[in-house]
Structures are given as structure tokens and as C-alpha cells.
Amino acid sequence: ESLDQGLEKTKEGFFSKITKAIAGKSTVDDEVLDNLEDALITADVGVDTTLEIVKRVEQRVAKDKYVGTSELNKLLQSEIEGILVDHADTSYKNFGIPEGKKPYVILVVGVNGVGKTTTIGKLAHNFKKAGKSVILGAADTFRAAAVDQLVIWSERVGVPIVKQAMGSDPASVAFDTVQSAVAQGADVVIIDTAGRLHNKAYLMDELSKIKRVIQKVIPDAPHDVMLVLDGSTGQNALEQAKQFTAATDVKSLAITKLDGTAKGGVVLAIASQFKIPVKYIGVGEKIDDLIIFDKHEFVDSLFK
Ligand code: GDP
């Protein structure tokens, strides 16, 4: 699906609320700002991020008191874009890998059911399409289904997978995976982990142990720790982001299931609140339903 199709439901909610908030107004008075605040909050942008956006709009219009509706629209778009951070390294935009980072190791975290396995499959497919050799690591050794699903994706995409018996040490799987990636001269390693949030200390220990053993093979890895969040869960996704960023050093985000939800505004809340760049968004279950996130395109699409 395309970005515009994928965001259709979010757009309807978002755009119509914004339009209503500023319809027919030629000055940005307190009423417009209040309406804007209500509109953003009900579009799942979250309270903190909404207040930040409204403050920025207020500051901008303080300078030039009069703005027409379409100017206000543009101003709002640029302020929303302004709160989103960019990734310092842009190689992910064409599924490349940064200089000197071969194999490029991506550790994927997130709770069960958010679309972690699907996202890993889509990523592997895209890297392969871009001419990269990929190895998957099934380090979620607690659920048989997690390993089975990842095996299915590895077959579908045609990339090797490293796995061990159920219940084995996730760190040992991660170690095996990076070791065989180095031995085979692979370009990209994507490691799936179990996201058991109910025990935070355990999660922290497990992730840091995985990182430590990876670093025995590749000192500056993992190069990316990608948190996968289900965008259709709105504020729950925000809460998960809070917990995972407290447990480990999350470096990027993939936000899934934006198709079929009106809660896509949560992308703005998460990305701005945690100052973590979004790399990818999921807009469907199929292998090609992964979109490289571009903040300008994303915001532009919300306002279309
Ligand atoms: P995991 O438990 O986090 O590994 O989740 P899975 O990858 O198994 O995905 C859980 C369910 O969500 C599956 O039915 C997927 O097909 C579905 N799913 C994953 N990503 C997306 C997406 O972007 N859009 C939609 N509509 N469904 C998705």
C-alpha cells in the first residue's frame, strides 16, 4: 500500500478535525488555539506533543498576528515537522549500510503481537532487494510460535536463519548469529528478541546480556536497536515506548499497523516525546507493506 492509502483513516480523523478547528478563521485567537489543541489530542497526538505544537504555533503567530486559514495550515505543518527528529545516518532510506559497519547488526525489540516478526521479514526482503546478504537470528527462544514465524519469513524471503532449541539462551543465539554473519561475510544481521515487559529488570538484563555477547564479536554492535510499536494501539504504544526506552538504548522506531487505524497521530507523539527517529512504518501484512519514514511526506500526507 502507498503512504496515502495506508494513512487513509488517520487522515480522515486528523485532517477533518484540524480543518474544523481553523475553519473560516482569519486570526489565530485563543479560541482557535483551544480548538487546535482539542483536535490534536483527539487525533492521538498526545497531550505533551500537542502542547508543544500549540506553543510553537502561538509563538509563530505572535510575530505576524494575521494569518489566513491556508497559511495557518502550512504553519501548522511546518511546526509539526519541526518536532520530529531526523536520523543522523540516512543509509536506511535505501536499505544501504553505513561505511565500515559490515555486518550491520539490528537488534529488534518490542512486545509480542506488535508486528515484530512481520517487520523483520519485510526488512530482510528490502535489504535483499537492495543487493545485501542478510542473516536472521531467532533470539526469542521463549515462544515456539515466534521462531516458527521467523522461519516462515526466512523461507519466504530466501535468507538464512540461525536458531536453537526452545528455551535456550537468547544471548547464545545472538552470538551464533553474528559469528556466522562474520564467517559468511554477510551485510546485515537482524535479531529478533522476546519483549516480555511484565518483568522490567529481567528485560533489561536480557537485552544487555545480548548486547554484551554481540560486542564480543563486533565491538560497536548492535548498530541499531529498533523498537517496533503497534500504531493502532495509540497511547498504549506510547506507554511501551516509555518502558523500552527505560530498559535499553532504543535508537530507532518502526511503527506498524497504521493501515486500518485512525490513531496514526501517535507517530507524532512517540517520535517527538522520545526524540527517537522513526525509520519505517508498516501499512499492511504483505511483504511490500513497509514504508521508509520521511517526516515531510508523512505530515504532508496527513494534511492532504
Ligand atoms: P510479533 O508477535 O510482534 O512478531 O507480531 P507478528 O509479526 O506476528 O504480527 C502480528 C499480526 O499483525 C500478524 O497477523 C501480522 O500479519 C499483523 N501485522 C504486522 N504488521 C502489520 C501492518 O503493518 N499492518 C497490518 N494490518 N497488520 C500487520
Side-chain angles (χ1 to χ4, degrees):
E1 286 197 65
S2 72
L3 180 63
D4 287 342
Q5 283 169 337
L7 288 181
E8 208 153 348
K9 291 227 173 87
T10 295
K11 268 162 42 180
E12 281 165 20
F14 194 85
F15 189 67
S16 66
K17 279 172 195 144
I18 301 290
T19 311
K20 241 184 250 160
I22 62 180
K25 299 288 184 177
S26 55
T27 35
V28 181
D29 53 17
D30 287 347
E31 192 193 333
V32 172
L33 291 171
D34 274 353
N35 289 346
L36 194 57
E37 193 175 303
D38 288 347
L40 289 168
I41 287 174
T42 52
D44 267 276
V45 176
V47 178
D48 295 346
T49 305
T50 295
L51 294 180
E52 168 80 20
I53 294 169
V54 171
K55 191 182 81 197
R56 291 175 75 128
V57 170
E58 208 172 355
Q59 283 165 354
R60 278 273 286 267
V61 296
K63 278 180 249 152
D64 32 8
K65 287 259 184 277
Y66 176 92
V67 286
T69 308
S70 77
E71 281 112 318
L72 180 55
N73 234 319
K74 278 201 205 100
L75 191 153
L76 189 55
Q77 272 189 57
S78 90
E79 291 307 326
I80 290 176
E81 264 181 56
I83 61 166
L84 299 174
V85 291
D86 277 318
H87 209 281
D89 169 63
T90 56
S91 48
Y92 69 94
K93 295 205 171 197
N94 48 14
F95 295 98
I97 56 173
E99 269 298 299
K101 304 234 185 283
K102 176 183 167 164
Y104 186 70
V105 181
I106 307 170
L107 194 63
V108 183
V109 301
V111 302
N112 297 332
V114 294
K116 225 173 356 149
T117 316
T118 308
T119 302
I120 292 171
K122 290 170 177 174
L123 281 175
H125 166 69
N126 277 290
F127 276 116
K128 195 181 169 193
K129 232 170 55 177
K132 305 285 181 291
S133 54
V134 183
I135 293 186
L136 304 182
D140 180 352
T141 59
F142 296 89
R143 293 181 312 142
V147 179
D148 293 347
Q149 281 302 313
L150 203 61
V151 168
I152 291 172
W153 274 105
S154 83
E155 285 163 358
R156 189 177 293 159
V157 177
V159 295
I161 182 169
V162 174
K163 58 178 180 139
Q164 290 178 7
M166 284 314 302
S168 57
D169 185 353
S172 155
V173 179
F175 184 79
D176 276 3
T177 312
V178 286
Q179 241 189 356
S180 74
V182 170
Q184 295 174 36
D187 296 308
V188 183
V189 178
I190 311 176
I191 298 172
D192 185 22
T193 63
R196 291 172 305 160
L197 257 192
H198 54 268
N199 186 338
K200 197 178 135 203
Y202 197 92
L203 178 74
M204 266 169 124
D205 287 351
E206 185 173 296
L207 292 175
S208 49
K209 188 174 172 198
I210 290 175
K211 281 189 191 170
R212 266 199 322 275
V213 301
I214 290 175
Q215 283 159 2
K216 285 188 184 162
V217 187
I218 305 165
D220 67 340
H223 305 100
D224 193 5
V225 178
M226 181 181 287
L227 172 62
V228 182
L229 296 167
D230 177 345
S232 71
T233 63
Q235 299 302 305
N236 274 346
L238 202 67
E239 186 54 37
Q240 287 170 16
K242 220 174 264 174
Q243 303 202 32
F244 272 95
T245 49
T248 191
D249 177 23
V250 176
K251 292 190 178 147
S252 72
L253 301 169
I255 303 180
T256 65
K257 308 190 197 181
L258 290 179
D259 53 308
T261 180
K263 296 178 192 248
V266 77
V267 171
L268 305 176
I270 297 166
S272 71
Q273 219 166 303
F274 297 94
K275 304 272 179 275
I276 300 173
V278 181
K279 275 189 174 174
Y280 307 103
I281 55 177
V283 291
E285 299 187 88
K286 292 195 296 294
I287 200 161
D288 283 313
D289 294 334
L290 187 79
I291 292 177
I292 297 160
F293 184 78
D294 176 288
K295 66 181 183 183
H296 180 70
E297 282 167 15
F298 185 83
V299 176
D300 201 44
S301 180
L302 288 179
F303 280 82
K304 258 185 206 159

